[in-house]
Amino acid sequence: MLAVEERVRQYMKKLEPEFIRHLRWLHQHPELSFQEYETTSYIKEKLVSWGISLEESPVETGVIALLKGREEGPCIALRADIDGLPVREESTNAFPSLQEGNMHACGHDTHTASLLGAAQILAALREEIRGSVKFIFQPAEEVSLGAKKLMEFDCLENPKVDAIFGLHNSPEIPIGTVAVKKGPLMASSDRIVFTVKGQGGHGGIPQRNADPIVAAAAIIQAVQTVVSRNVSPLDSAVISICNVKAGEGTVNNVTPHQVVMYGTVRAYKPEIQKLVEARLKSLTENICAAYGCQGSLDYIYELGVVDNALSLYQAAYEAVVATGAQPVDPDPSTGGEDFSEFLKGAPGFFYWLGVRNEENDCVYSWHSPHFKADERCVAIGAGTYAMSVFTGIETLCKKSL
Ligand code: NI
């Protein structure tokens, strides 16, 4: 009897043409968040054909499914996001989007195809699984709502998930490699909204006004000192104001009553999020008061940190090695990912799957109309997901001894 990793590698090779067929179909049929109907039907049909049972889900799109192994044991969840973006494809992909104006520009098709591949491998190796596998094909990652909806429904219960694994492709690392990072991999992502209220009036007679634009400009300058003067140099944070709304049309001589500004905050630690929130509130209120205006800040906690569990690091590393891919240790990213929602319910581990190939034009960043992934990533992704079940269950069983 061959060791399980040997069998996983055999299936990766044997089923690769089928994995690539899934990828091409998915790439040609990108659907926007919460509208992934055709994608959902495609996934369900495949899972059922492999004898995997579909579970209840609170959302019409996306799929939750369960595969029971040979005996009772830990439950491992595997998660992939399935949505596309409203981007018009301009890539050199030989199987481009057939949906005008929509594209898998973040490569979620590679995640979906990888998880389908893993499902097929695991169904074939069902007798080797000492526990169960919950497959989560999650809708609407791009709008940061899909995971939240599933978690409100307690998708990590019945059976209770003991560990969850997920992945995202990365055009930053070469095909054949998978990033396995200890601790924080992706940042928290919070939304900030500043409201500055003043007294509008004639732009040529400023002494009669309380100009909210001048106060807003002072805030824009001051918030960057939170990163440089309040956050420790050994920690990280990003504060970006990305949208400033003031005045009407092209009017040039009316001071408005109000300025509203929208932005984002990124960090790797909850205590840094709290610190930034407190400092931004204080700066906003006090600067506005000094300029004769009223200021307020809404700080909306949107996504937590994707913090890879140290207890699963070894399992994750061994899973990648078992597929024959090369594990690499990347710098974390200040991008956000709603996989963090699932980490509120179970320890988890998130990989980056290398898709970069300079010879084949697979070099463009996420959300670019030129984005393209090397198709060979899908077999590696499928193998990584599948092996994570075996190494994950082994780790969990050892821990409970
Ligand atoms: Ni993405």
Side-chain angles (χ1 to χ4, degrees), residues 169-313:
N169 71 82
S170 173
E172 304 294 322
I173 57 171
I175 183 73
T177 65
V178 178
V180 185
K181 181 84 193 164
K182 253 183 202 165
L185 178 71
M186 299 186 77
S188 60
S189 171
D190 299 326
R191 183 187 295 268
I192 44 176
V193 184
F194 302 84
T195 306
V196 180
K197 289 189 170 143
Q199 176 65 51
H202 198 299
I205 313 172
Q207 69 277 21
R208 295 196 187 144
N209 308 333
D211 189 345
I213 290 184
V214 175
I219 293 171
I220 293 170
Q221 294 287 332
V223 296
Q224 294 310 326
T225 66
V226 175
V227 176
S228 67
R229 303 291 87 174
N230 301 126
V231 173
S232 159
L234 303 179
D235 282 315
S236 307
V238 175
I239 302 168
S240 291
I241 296 177
C242 301
N243 188 323
V244 180
K245 295 253 185 281
E248 297 295 330
T250 55
V251 168
N252 76 318
N253 60 358
V254 179
T255 295
H257 287 296
Q258 181 171 289
V259 178
V260 182
M261 305 190 287
Y262 302 85
T264 187
V265 174
R266 308 292 165 109
Y268 293 114
K269 291 180 181 171
E271 58 266 37
I272 301 293
Q273 290 171 274
K274 289 256 166 353
L275 168 73
V276 171
E277 177 186 13
R279 287 299 299 138
L280 291 182
K281 279 201 161 138
S282 170
L283 285 169
T284 305
E285 287 163 12
N286 290 304
I287 288 170
C288 285
Y291 283 83
C293 297
Q294 281 180 320
S296 62
L297 174 82
D298 283 328
Y299 191 101
I300 300 139
Y301 285 78
E302 205 160 60
L303 293 177
V305 181
V306 175
D307 194 357
N308 282 334
L310 297 183
S311 61
L312 296 174
Y313 173 75

Side-chain angles (χ1 to χ4, degrees), residues 81 83 85 105-108 111 141-142 168-169 336-337 366-367:
D81 46 9
D83 52 335
L85 283 161
C106 200
H108 295 185
H111 314 160
E141 193 280 331
E142 293 293 354
H168 201 293
N169 71 82
E337 181 28 270
W366 296 322
H367 299 202

Side-chain angles (χ1 to χ4, degrees), residues 309-365:
L310 297 183
S311 61
L312 296 174
Y313 173 75
Q314 199 60 30
Y317 190 91
E318 283 170 10
V320 171
V321 171
T323 67
Q326 166 90 41
V328 292
D329 183 23
D331 286 332
S333 159
T334 43
E337 181 28 270
D338 79 356
F339 183 76
S340 58
E341 284 296 311
F342 297 111
L343 300 181
K344 294 174 183 168
F349 207 95
F350 200 68
Y351 303 99
W352 282 336
L353 178 64
V355 298
R356 185 181 187 83
N357 180 359
E358 273 147 36
E359 284 162 26
N360 200 13
D361 210 28
C362 302
V363 296
Y364 297 98
S365 68

Side-chain angles (χ1 to χ4, degrees), residues 44 90 98 100 118 126 179 225 254 271 357 393-394:
K44 283 184 174 169
E90 292 174 37
L98 299 175
E100 186 64 17
R126 181 191 290 246
T225 66
V254 179
E271 58 266 37
N357 180 359
I393 287 176
E394 200 182 309

Side-chain angles (χ1 to χ4, degrees), residues 123-140:
L125 294 175
R126 181 191 290 246
E127 289 301 309
E128 303 291 330
I129 302 171
R130 292 179 299 149
S132 57
V133 188
K134 195 177 268 192
F135 298 93
I136 301 176
F137 290 89
Q138 180 212 304

Side-chain angles (χ1 to χ4, degrees), residues 12-30:
M12 285 167 61
K13 200 160 177 217
K14 185 173 142 203
L15 298 175
E16 185 169 19
E18 205 167 325
F19 300 162
I20 290 178
R21 273 202 300 279
H22 297 320
L23 176 66
R24 289 177 180 171
W25 187 91
L26 292 160
H27 192 79
Q28 291 192 302
H29 299 83

